[in-house]
Amino acid sequence: MHQSTKPIQHNPREDNSNRIIQTEHLPTAKRFCASLGVGEKSFFLADEIQQRLEVFLEADADTDILAAKAVRRMFHGCQEIIVDSDYTYALLRPKIGVKSIVRLHPEMETLERVDRRQYLEVKDAYIQGYEVAAKSGLELDFQPFFQNFPKVNEPTEMGEGISFLNRHLSGQMYQNPIVFRRVLLKFLQSCKLDGADILVNDHLSSTELLLEELDYVRSILTEHSNDQSYSEVSHEMRVHGFEPGWGATVGDIADNLSLLARVMDSSDPARFESFLGRLPLVKTVLMVSPHGWFAQDGVMGKPDTGGQVTYILDQARSLERQLVRRFKESGIEAAPRIIILTRLIPDSENTTCNVAREKLHGTEDCWIVRVPFRDLNGEIIPHWISRFQLWPYLESFAEESKATVITELMGKPDLIIGHYSDGNLVAYRIADDLGVTHCAAVHALEKTKYILSDLYWADMEKDYRFSLQFTADLIAYNAADFIISSSYREIGGTDTEMGMFESYETFSMPGLYRVVSGMDPRLARHNIVPPSASEEFFFPYKKTEKRVDAVTRRLEERFLGPHSPEEAVGSLKNPNLPPILAMARIDKIKNLSGLVEIFGKKSSLRKSANLLIVSSLTDARQSEDQEEIDEINRMYELIDRYRLDGQVRWCAARLNKVETGEIYRIVADRKGVFAQPALMETFGLTVVEAMACGLPVAVTCFGGPSEIVVSGESGEVWNPNNHAAFAESIERIIQDRELWDKYSIGGVKRIREAFNWSTHAKKILRLANVYSYWDYLDTMNRPALDQYIHTIYHTVYRPRANAILEEI
């Protein structure tokens, strides 16, 4: 089991540190590792490692200040430790996105480097025993297929893939400008819209002719006024090789052709990105989101249904607006069309989820298109299915959907955006068949939500189907052309916590496969593109002219009146106290019960505020989800334990956007606070909504909310597991009116500057263009990657999915 390893040597590409630990301080590290070996436990995760380290250093009389500092530095960010006989294996994380696996033995005078394969074998032995773990099994390694793909070195650049990629492309141009110009011309000639040429035609048979004709056309344009339309110069432009798409007016055309000339002559990355980003290459968009209850009204709060639905609907609207603007500015007469592909649910529970086609409110040509799930006999499955159990139905769903989409769009889409793991697996299947650029939107990756869900996957398989989910993630996100995340933490995490993608880089599912290299967060495929909240519905509470009095009065009575309404728990003895608002579906990760406990423990907070919780359910009898049932029961238990009746209003409600925006403003009217106590939150759209309405926030430090909120300026960020600190934060904001006003104003300002849908849509279209160009270059041996992914799909995913269908 203990394979020989070589003494650890510094490799700046792996750990970027001079030494992990100096020789004179190694005995202290050995004593700490020995302390971990006392007792029955042999596997330790990050939080416990840090706790045990501090206890050890405080008690160890032989440790001086320098040694303690060195050992703390060595284990800072350490994610896992396994004690295996006399060896201690540690997964160190010297900086974000970088891991170094080492082992330490009491009789060795140096650390030893451990390769990923050996470490995964040790982890499997912890679960399976040595004899089973030592046998050869399936290994997944995507690293060879991305060897030629640009990779960031600095953690601060993770999530800025487009900027890094453009610098790389510009560097190629600088090194070989002749080849670059030739490839760029071929790319422009390949661009079509509805099968017709745009930008350039075949007359421009060489880069030399392109440059010659470009100079000539630019000189022709100087003979016209800038406000003349494209139609007045279109004939001459086409004769000389330039098709529509350069601008609606002579002035715009001249500016864009001038930019093309500078790109052909210079390797400036910002200029190249600007040029590619403004090209009108996308007209039709397919967005894919199968799970949950996807509709415009009456679904929020249902199982698996929350902020993602709002995100996708607003994203579709913003993309349509941006595409209309882009075509108008480019001089092309074209109307964009967007399809949101989701699941049709015949037993729709009074929603529109049983409607095959539904037009999106406020759009010209955006549609929700629903396709059913089918069983092995081809019969439609009528009822809702949990996101954890839908994997066996996705292949047939993708096949049926492909034909539906082609009919709806009268051809293949120009861009596919997959949402969440299931949506991206379907997007992968369709994009792979049609040869379309695939943008993968993350939303959430379940692996980091459920501790040790990889090692103990077999124990959780019946409830969560992690073997299918994690395999789908590896397939879909590696197949995608580019990936968009809402926050940095989804990619790189923090200096002490791995990001969601980073957690997929190296892991094992004992008895299924070992992932030597899964998803690399440092590849220049990752881009942070945060969503926003619609300004139509989420505006500051002081804008009274936009508010509807009847809606305000109705919601005040329902949520903050003295008497408990239907489907609500708890009366309010003093309804005029400032409310602490939390709004989320009932989910262990959302931690609403944790907020009840935080509130219940703080007697002074209970005297100065009421707790208002808006969730999906209050009655466990209405749920079939065990996790949901457990959380509901825990809520009741805590309300009873702390005797909170009279101080808590807990409502089951599915609010539309008008109502959601107004409830934030009502709480702001009463100088309350929005609390977001999640144990992990991918982004935190409700935080954006609350801040946009001028409602101060106290949010979790785990995930996206800590990036939305600038702590101390636009709200406060705390660890929700520290009940005292979280409660004190809320109380401080409520009691300090000057601080309340500061966070209210700062929150509105923060959202306006950093989170808006127009910027979001522009960046997605720019990314689509740049990555389409990169894919056109085909520098990374894409066919080999595709074949590898196909093999994993057909040998791992499909058999496991089919086996579940056969069980059913």
Side-chain angles (χ1 to χ4, degrees):
M1 185 65 188
H2 300 301
Q3 302 173 16
S4 62
T5 53
K6 58 185 178 182
I8 191 167
Q9 297 178 352
H10 171 57
N11 183 341
R13 294 188 61 177
E14 289 201 25
D15 57 48
N16 199 32
S17 58
N18 292 326
R19 298 179 69 177
I20 289 179
I21 191 168
Q22 295 175 332
T23 303
E24 59 266 32
H25 302 316
L26 193 61
T28 303
K30 288 182 180 181
R31 290 197 300 277
F32 169 59
C33 291
S35 73
L36 294 176
V38 177
E40 296 182 359
K41 190 168 185 178
S42 58
F43 191 98
F44 305 90
L45 295 176
D47 288 345
E48 188 174 2
I49 293 168
Q50 298 307 314
Q51 292 169 3
R52 290 197 175 224
L53 179 60
E54 292 307 314
V55 170
F56 164 78
L57 291 176
E58 186 174 337
D60 189 54
D62 294 331
T63 300
D64 58 28
I65 295 176
L66 290 178
K69 184 177 180 180
V71 173
R72 283 194 180 98
R73 183 169 58 248
M74 172 182 172
F75 288 103
H76 179 77
C78 178
Q79 297 300 297
E80 300 171 353
I81 287 179
I82 300 177
V83 179
D84 181 41
S85 186
D86 291 334
Y87 281 94
T88 300
Y89 292 80
L91 176 59
L92 304 179
R93 190 169 175 263
K95 71 174 184 178
I96 292 174
V98 175
K99 288 185 282 295
S100 180
I101 306 170
V102 300
R103 72 176 183 177
L104 188 59
H105 189 278
E107 298 179 3
M108 301 294 290
E109 297 304 320
T110 183
L111 290 171
E112 290 181 313
R113 178 82 68 192
V114 177
D115 67 30
R116 294 181 179 185
R117 287 178 171 84
Q118 181 185 357
Y119 181 65
L120 293 177
E121 184 177 331
V122 172
K123 289 186 72 172
D124 280 7
Y126 172 74
I127 301 296
Q128 299 175 301
Y130 296 114
E131 184 176 346
V132 176
K135 294 179 180 178
S136 298
L138 177 62
E139 289 186 349
L140 304 183
D141 187 356
F142 286 89
Q143 191 275 335
F145 303 100
F146 291 98
Q147 283 183 334
N148 295 325
F149 204 98
K151 181 183 291 189
V152 304
N153 292 315
E154 288 301 315
T156 54
E157 292 184 309
M158 292 167 66
E160 298 179 6
I162 188 172
S163 298
F164 196 85
L165 185 59
N166 283 328
R167 292 201 299 273
H168 182 83
L169 292 172
S170 297
Q172 287 185 333
M173 176 184 176
Y174 179 79
Q175 294 172 2
N176 199 334
I178 295 175
V179 173
F180 174 86
R181 290 169 185 157
R182 187 182 305 129
V183 172
L184 180 57
L185 173 58
K186 289 182 178 179
F187 173 74
L188 293 176
Q189 289 175 329
S190 72
C191 296
K192 311 286 182 183
L193 206 64
D194 293 333
D197 287 336
I198 58 172
L199 301 173
V200 300
N201 57 42
D202 291 339
H203 169 70
L204 301 176
S205 56
S206 67
T207 53
E208 293 77 15
L209 185 57
L210 168 63
L211 293 172
E212 180 182 324
E213 295 285 37
L214 180 59
D215 285 342
Y216 183 77
V217 169
R218 290 176 66 193
S219 68
I220 291 176
L221 294 177
T222 61
E223 301 171 4
H224 298 265
S225 61
N226 284 341
D227 58 357
Q228 285 184 276
S229 69
Y230 164 72
S231 61
E232 298 186 47
V233 295
S234 62
H235 177 70
E236 283 189 284
M237 288 188 64
R238 279 179 159 158
V239 167
H240 293 281
F242 292 91
E243 294 290 331
W246 297 104
T249 66
V250 168
D252 291 337
I253 296 168
D255 288 342
N256 287 324
L257 291 182
S258 175
L259 181 57
L260 171 61
R262 293 197 299 273
V263 165
M264 297 290 283
D265 187 55
S266 167
S267 59
D268 178 72
R271 184 178 296 157
F272 185 61
E273 179 181 335
S274 176
F275 170 73
L276 282 180
R278 66 177 62 183
L279 300 179
L281 306 184
V282 174
K283 177 188 172 186
T284 56
V285 180
L286 171 64
M287 304 168 71
V288 188
S289 181
H291 82 260
W293 297 80
F294 198 101
Q296 300 181 76
D297 303 299
V299 296
M300 299 303 290
K302 282 180 170 288
D304 295 343
T305 308
Q308 179 176 323
V309 173
T310 301
Y311 175 119
I312 295 170
L313 294 174
D314 285 342
Q315 185 185 68
R317 293 186 182 99
S318 65
L319 281 171
E320 185 188 61
R321 288 193 294 269
Q322 188 59 39
L323 286 169
V324 168
R325 186 179 300 114
R326 176 165 292 195
F327 285 129
K328 183 177 180 181
E329 292 173 351
S330 68
I332 293 178
E333 293 185 5
R337 185 175 177 85
I338 297 174
I339 297 297
I340 301 172
L341 173 66
T342 189
R343 185 200 163 196
L344 185 140
I345 308 175
D347 294 346
S348 62
E349 297 185 6
N350 297 317
T351 72
T352 58
C353 292
N354 61 342
V355 178
R357 296 177 79 255
E358 179 183 352
K359 188 175 181 183
L360 206 61
H361 303 326
T363 66
E364 293 297 322
D365 202 5
C366 294
W367 298 83
I368 300 172
V369 174
R370 298 183 177 92
V371 173
F373 285 174
R374 297 182 185 273
D375 62 21
L376 284 175
N377 298 319
E379 298 295 324
I380 293 176
I381 296 174
H383 52 273
W384 167 84
I385 297 174
S386 161
R387 73 184 189 277
F388 294 115
Q389 305 295 340
L390 52 67
W391 303 102
Y393 307 101
L394 295 183
E395 182 167 352
S396 62
F397 175 81
E399 287 299 314
E400 186 172 347
S401 296
K402 181 173 63 176
T404 301
V405 167
I406 290 173
T407 300
E408 287 284 342
L409 298 177
M410 293 182 289
K412 66 181 184 180
D414 299 313
L415 173 66
I416 298 179
I417 304 176
H419 290 273
Y420 188 72
S421 302
D422 53 354
N424 277 303
L425 187 71
V426 175
Y428 149 70
R429 294 285 299 177
I430 297 175
D432 185 54
D433 285 349
L434 300 182
V436 177
T437 299
H438 172 195
C439 163
V442 181
H443 294 287
L445 294 174
E446 301 289 347
K447 187 170 176 293
T448 53
K449 289 185 178 182
Y450 297 86
I451 295 174
L452 299 179
S453 52
D454 49 359
L455 280 183
Y456 292 103
W457 70 273
D459 298 334
M460 308 179 190
E461 186 69 358
K462 183 176 180 181
D463 292 330
Y464 296 105
R465 307 295 181 186
F466 286 139
S467 70
L468 286 163
Q469 172 136 13
F470 298 168
T471 305
D473 288 336
L474 290 170
I475 289 170
Y477 291 110
N478 277 299
D481 294 286
F482 65 99
I483 300 165
I484 61 171
S485 300
S486 297
S487 65
Y488 181 89
R489 291 197 176 196
E490 291 177 8
I491 307 167
T494 69
D495 61 341
T496 58
E497 300 168 7
M498 284 198 294
M500 290 184 179
F501 270 95
E502 191 180 357
S503 73
Y504 279 78
E505 190 173 13
T506 303
F507 68 97
S508 181
M509 302 182 77
L512 185 62
Y513 53 64
R514 295 171 186 169
V515 180
V516 177
S517 178
M519 292 167 7
D520 190 341
R522 292 186 294 168
L523 292 173
R525 306 165 66 235
H526 296 278
N527 296 272
I528 299 171
V529 189
S532 185
S534 171
E535 295 181 5
E536 180 182 354
F537 303 102
F538 303 100
F539 52 85
Y541 73 101
K542 289 184 177 181
K543 290 190 175 183
T544 55
E545 72 281 1
K546 296 182 67 175
R547 299 173 68 176
V548 180
D549 289 340
V551 175
T552 304
R553 289 194 298 271
R554 175 167 55 81
L555 294 176
E556 283 180 330
E557 179 62 27
R558 179 181 179 185
F559 293 110
L560 294 169
H563 304 296
S564 178
E566 186 180 353
E567 293 189 352
V569 176
S571 59
L572 297 177
K573 293 178 181 178
N574 187 351
N576 294 320
L577 289 176
I580 303 165
L581 171 64
M583 188 152 41
R585 67 180 181 272
I586 290 291
D587 186 317
K588 184 178 179 180
I589 297 297
K590 296 297 184 182
N591 196 33
L592 292 178
S593 63
L595 182 61
V596 174
E597 189 167 13
I598 288 169
F599 181 73
K601 286 180 176 179
K602 187 73 171 176
S603 58
S604 58
L605 181 60
R606 291 164 56 180
K607 292 177 182 178
S608 58
N610 290 320
L611 179 60
L612 170 60
I613 293 179
V614 181
S615 70
S616 48
L617 290 173
T618 58
D619 188 347
R621 293 171 298 181
Q622 297 176 2
S623 175
E624 297 179 358
D625 185 304
Q626 190 57 50
E627 185 175 294
E628 199 170 55
I629 292 169
D630 292 343
E631 188 70 2
I632 291 171
N633 290 335
R634 176 167 163 74
M635 295 273 283
Y636 280 109
E637 188 271 323
L638 289 167
I639 290 171
D640 289 341
R641 183 196 305 176
Y642 294 104
R643 299 179 180 178
L644 297 180
D645 188 34
Q647 299 168 313
V648 170
R649 171 68 52 75
W650 174 22
C651 299
R654 297 188 179 104
L655 306 178
N656 59 37
K657 284 189 176 182
V658 172
E659 294 169 326
T660 302
E662 191 57 23
I663 197 64
Y664 292 126
R665 289 186 286 271
I666 289 170
V667 174
D669 290 336
R670 299 179 180 219
K671 304 304 176 187
V673 170
F674 180 76
Q676 214 285 18
L679 301 176
M680 171 54 68
E681 181 62 64
T682 307
F683 178 62
L685 192 56
T686 54
V687 177
V688 173
E689 293 172 350
M691 292 169 67
C693 293
L695 177 60
V697 299
V699 303
T700 179
C701 65
F702 301 121
S706 63
E707 295 177 42
I708 298 169
V709 178
V710 179
S711 194
E713 294 182 17
S714 54
E716 296 196 4
V717 179
W718 293 93
N719 184 340
N721 295 312
N722 187 335
H723 289 183
F726 206 89
E728 288 166 7
S729 171
I730 295 171
E731 187 174 32
R732 182 168 52 250
I733 298 170
I734 286 175
Q735 293 184 347
D736 187 337
R737 186 55 55 82
E738 186 175 332
L739 184 66
W740 193 99
D741 289 338
K742 175 185 176 181
Y743 290 162
S744 176
I745 295 169
V748 172
K749 182 173 183 288
R750 170 72 173 157
I751 298 307
R752 285 177 176 170
E753 291 178 351
F755 302 91
N756 67 81
W757 280 115
S758 176
T759 301
H760 177 98
K762 287 179 182 177
K763 187 165 185 180
I764 285 182
L765 295 176
R766 186 165 71 249
L767 289 167
N769 286 4
V770 172
Y771 283 92
S772 293
Y773 176 74
W774 174 260
D775 194 45
Y776 180 82
L777 294 180
D778 192 25
T779 60
M780 56 173 286
N781 192 16
R782 180 77 197 208
L785 172 63
D786 291 341
Q787 187 59 50
Y788 188 67
I789 289 172
H790 290 169
T791 301
I792 295 171
Y793 183 92
H794 291 288
T795 60
V796 180
Y797 179 89
R798 178 186 274 172
R800 296 194 67 82
N802 288 343
I804 295 173
L805 278 180
E806 290 169 2
E807 290 175 13
I808 298 172

